[in-house]
Each structure stands twice: as structure tokens, then as C-alpha cells.
Amino acid sequence: MPQIVLTDRAASRIATILAKEAEGAMLRIAVLGGGCSGFQYDFQITDKAEGDDLVLEKAGATVLIDKISQEYMPGAVIDYAEELIGAAFKIDNPLATANCGCGTSFSI
């Protein structure tokens, strides 16, 4: 399965967010059913990793992705973008055939 990548920009922003949380805080990214296009990304702060989580660590940031969600995002690139209309995490998922305008929903 192709590797999921966390960019330097995303890691830096996640580290900043987690620094304001309790010691041991991590960001969990999951793929859930629903959203405008069929699936949506869910971002939660947690202090608990599960045994089958993929753990991405970079620049003081720890990201967890559960086993089922990994199957929906092989080769994905997790990035953070600051644009004139706002700032947000962006996931470039090679399996996604369509994305909605909000950027958190996709179909495969």
C-alpha cells in the first residue's frame, strides 16, 4: 500500500495546535461515511492510540490514522494551506475521483 505523507507545513501547524493541548495530545484523521461527496475526513484531538493505527511523526506533531481509514487514502498527502479565503488542512487523495467545494468531502 502506498505511503501516506505528512508535509512539513501540515506537521508544523499540527505541532502548534497540539502544543496548546494536554501533554501527549495527538491528531486523529479518519475517513467517515457522509459528507457532500460520500466520504468525509474527520479531525479529532486525542490522547489515545489504537494498536492498528498508522502513526506519522514529524516536527513535534503526531498524527494517527486507523486501519480502515488507511484503506481509503493510500498514497495521500496531508498538507496545510493558507489562502486568501482561509486556512485549512488539505488531503490530496489519489483514490478520490471527486471532491466537494468544502475540501473535506470526497468520493471514490
Side-chain angles (χ1 to χ4, degrees):
M1 183 180 310
Q3 184 176 6
I4 298 172
V5 176
L6 181 64
T7 68
D8 292 340
R9 269 192 314 243
S12 176
R13 181 63 183 141
I14 293 166
T16 299
I17 292 168
L18 295 178
K20 298 174 185 172
E21 299 294 326
E23 184 72 27
M26 300 169 275
L27 179 68
R28 177 174 295 285
I29 300 175
V31 175
L32 304 176
C36 309
S37 298
F39 295 98
Q40 64 185 0
Y41 297 109
D42 183 57
F43 299 87
Q44 303 263 338
I45 294 175
T46 185
D47 61 358
K48 184 180 178 198
E50 301 296 333
D52 61 355
D53 283 341
L54 171 65
V55 180
L56 303 174
E57 294 180 309
K58 185 183 239 184
T62 302
V63 174
L64 307 172
I65 303 171
D66 67 87
K67 186 175 178 77
I68 293 172
S69 296
Q70 292 172 50
E71 294 175 14
Y72 289 96
M73 48 190 302
V77 176
I78 303 164
D79 198 8
Y80 181 76
E82 292 186 22
E83 300 168 354
L84 287 175
I85 58 171
F89 288 102
K90 305 281 184 186
I91 298 179
D92 180 15
N93 185 342
L95 284 187
T97 57
N99 295 301
C100 75
C102 68
T104 62
S105 175
F106 67 100
S107 60
I108 55 175

